[in-house]
């Protein structure tokens, strides 16, 4: 019988072979333990964390896609900059117009699109938005009256989380944010997204202490997780950095067509993986969208094409945050 090259080497070097097998056995014991340890400890907070595995989403779908729409208040002279070379001007007409267009036109346009296509949407909102833009909020909310609301702090620039002031200060900030949103909407949010995705270990403890059930601050997974803080558990919904339109648009200078392709590629690969291995667990991606990107006419058209394409995919489940939690048995 003719041996293959590997078999010939093994037969010729029996002592070395036994050594290699021994090492493999040791690694076989140690590597799963290390992998398990990585699954149990969150790298940022140091708290115990566990993946929540779901076999399939409703109707046997394997990939849950949830769009989170950020309705934000920045303030005059603050916020995202479309033209950095003009930011030193006073007044900075271009960048102010860029931000204001998003509020006056973009927010409502996106609401109208999701209403028209009957696609679930999660609303992520700054507590100061209601007092600053009451008519915009009223019109937008009338289109999506049942969309779940996620608290996004007070605003995105000058009143962010007091990360260096201790857990008590963060608890007070979170409580104030939730109270203001409840007063304005009649709904006390159970979800949280830290302004500018800037949180720390104390934030997670404060959120759990204030009764927040889930957060979008997790950016490192394809599945939902549970973080166990001393104050209680907190559900982490996957919110990958690369799919957020704001970063792609402003930092990487991607056009809305390029972002459209990115979103479809991201979800398509998840569906390809699912079809290749039917026994593989279901996955989740929360995609962050902003009115100054998808609220422009070209941005809305790109988003429209994405939503229509995803609605046709029999492996994709379009859901809001509340539906995700319910389907995962977490609500």
């Amino acid at each position: 019988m003719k041996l293959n090259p590997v078999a010939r080497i093994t037969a010729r070097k029996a002592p070395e072979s036994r050594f290699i097998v021994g090492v493999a056995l040791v690694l076989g014991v140690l590597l799963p333990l290390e992998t398990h340890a990585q699954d149990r400890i969150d790298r940022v907070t140091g708290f115990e964390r566990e993946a929540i595995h779901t076999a399939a989403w409703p109707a046997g779908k394997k990939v849950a896609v949830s769009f989170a729409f950020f309705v934000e208040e920045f303030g005059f002279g603050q916020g995202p900059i479309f033209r950095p070379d003009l930011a030193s001007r006073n007044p900075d007409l271009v960048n102010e117009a860029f931000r204001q267009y998003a509020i006056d036109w973009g927010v409502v346009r996106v609401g109208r699109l999701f209403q028209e296509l009957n696609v679930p949407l999660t609303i992520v909102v700054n507590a100061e938005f209601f007092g600053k833009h009451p008519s915009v909020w009223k019109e937008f909310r009338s289109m999506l009256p049942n969309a779940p609301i996620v608290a996004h702090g007070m605003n995105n620039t000058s009143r962010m989380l007091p990360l260096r002031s201790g857990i008590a200060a963060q608890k007070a900030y979170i409580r104030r944010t939730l109270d203001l949103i409840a007063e304005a909407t009649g709904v006390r949010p159970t979800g949280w997204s830290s302004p500018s995705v800037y949180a720390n270990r104390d934030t997670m403890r404060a959120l759990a202490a204030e009764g927040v059930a889930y957060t979008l601050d997790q950016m490192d997974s394809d599945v939902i997780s549970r973080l166990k803080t001393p104050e209680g558990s907190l559900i982490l919904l996957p919110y990958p950095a690369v799919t957020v339109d704001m970063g792609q648009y402003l930092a990487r200078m991607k056009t809305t067509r390029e972002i459209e392709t990115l979103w479809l590629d991201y979800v398509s690969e998840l569906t390809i993986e699912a079809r290749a291995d039917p026994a593989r667990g279901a996955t989740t991606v929360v995609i962050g969208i902003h009115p100054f990107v998808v609220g422009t006419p070209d941005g809305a058209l790109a988003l429209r094409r994405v939503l229509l394409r995803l609605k046709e995919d029999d492996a994709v489940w379009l859901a809001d945050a509340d539906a995700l939690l319910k389907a995962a048995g977490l609500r």
Side-chain angles (χ1 to χ4, degrees):
M1 180 176 66
K2 185 177 181 180
L3 298 176
N4 62 39
V6 174
R8 287 200 302 272
I9 293 171
T10 303
R12 193 166 57 241
K13 298 187 177 182
E16 291 90 339
S17 175
R18 286 193 293 270
F19 174 75
I20 293 170
V21 170
V23 171
L25 289 173
V26 171
L27 291 176
V29 172
L30 294 180
L31 289 179
L33 289 176
E34 184 173 346
T35 301
H36 185 55
Q38 289 172 350
D39 184 53
R40 286 192 297 109
I41 303 300
D42 180 72
R43 294 178 62 190
V44 174
T45 65
F47 296 137
E48 183 179 350
R49 169 175 158 180
E50 62 178 351
I52 299 173
H53 298 290
T54 305
W57 296 116
K61 297 179 183 292
K62 299 295 284 191
V63 181
V65 180
S66 183
F67 285 88
F69 184 46
F70 286 74
V71 179
E72 297 166 319
E73 165 58 21
F74 293 100
F76 189 81
Q78 305 172 54
I81 296 174
F82 182 65
R83 288 280 303 274
D85 57 312
L86 304 181
S88 62
R89 291 183 177 184
N90 188 18
D92 178 8
L93 298 180
V94 172
N95 286 314
E96 287 300 336
F98 170 68
R99 290 187 286 265
Q100 196 60 40
Y101 184 94
I103 292 170
D104 293 342
W105 296 90
V107 170
V108 172
R109 176 174 283 122
V110 172
R112 188 165 57 241
L113 176 60
F114 276 83
Q115 179 190 43
E116 175 192 338
L117 298 183
N118 192 30
V119 174
L121 181 66
T122 299
I123 302 169
V124 187
V125 62
N126 289 143
E128 290 185 357
F129 189 88
F130 311 102
K132 299 287 186 179
H133 315 285
S135 62
V136 174
W137 172 256
K138 183 178 180 180
E139 184 177 4
F140 172 69
R141 187 58 169 168
S142 69
M143 299 172 182
L144 303 165
N146 299 316
I149 294 175
V150 170
H152 194 38
M154 299 300 291
N155 68 33
N156 252 40
T157 51
S158 60
R159 297 185 67 189
M160 298 175 68
L161 277 161
L163 299 182
R164 296 176 178 83
S165 301
I167 188 172
Q170 292 210 52
K171 287 171 64 176
Y173 176 95
I174 291 165
R175 189 182 313 121
R176 181 58 176 159
T177 298
L178 298 176
D179 287 346
L180 286 175
I181 294 176
E183 290 172 11
T185 67
V187 177
R188 189 176 184 81
T190 58
W192 180 269
S193 171
S194 296
S196 195
V197 202
Y198 194 20
N200 61 15
R201 174 187 173 96
D202 284 346
T203 308
M204 301 301 131
R205 295 182 60 190
L207 289 172
E210 292 302 318
V212 173
Y214 68 94
T215 175
L216 304 184
D217 289 348
Q218 174 192 355
M219 309 185 83
D220 60 357
S221 180
D222 287 336
V223 298
I224 299 171
S225 303
R226 179 185 287 109
L227 187 71
K228 298 180 180 180
T229 80
E231 285 70 25
S233 294
L234 194 64
I235 301 302
L236 309 177
L237 296 184
Y239 179 67
V242 296
T243 62
V244 181
D245 62 354
M246 181 176 182
Q248 294 292 341
Y249 190 69
L250 295 180
R252 296 171 179 83
M253 302 299 290
K254 300 295 185 183
T255 66
T256 52
R257 272 194 174 271
E258 289 174 312
I259 297 172
E260 171 189 348
T261 299
L262 182 150
W263 284 339
L264 292 175
D265 286 351
Y266 197 100
V267 176
S268 293
E269 181 59 23
L270 290 175
T271 63
I272 290 170
E273 293 172 356
R275 291 186 174 103
D277 182 7
R280 184 176 186 264
T283 54
T284 303
V285 54
V286 178
I287 296 176
I289 56 177
H290 295 74
F292 48 79
V293 182
V294 296
T296 61
D298 64 306
L301 184 56
L303 179 58
R304 180 187 295 273
R305 288 191 294 263
V306 169
L307 296 178
L308 290 172
R309 174 87 169 270
L310 295 181
K311 288 183 73 172
E312 295 175 350
D313 194 322
D314 60 7
V316 173
W317 179 46
L318 291 169
D320 59 38
D322 282 356
L324 281 176
L325 297 175
K326 184 177 180 180
L330 300 170
R331 173 161 295 181

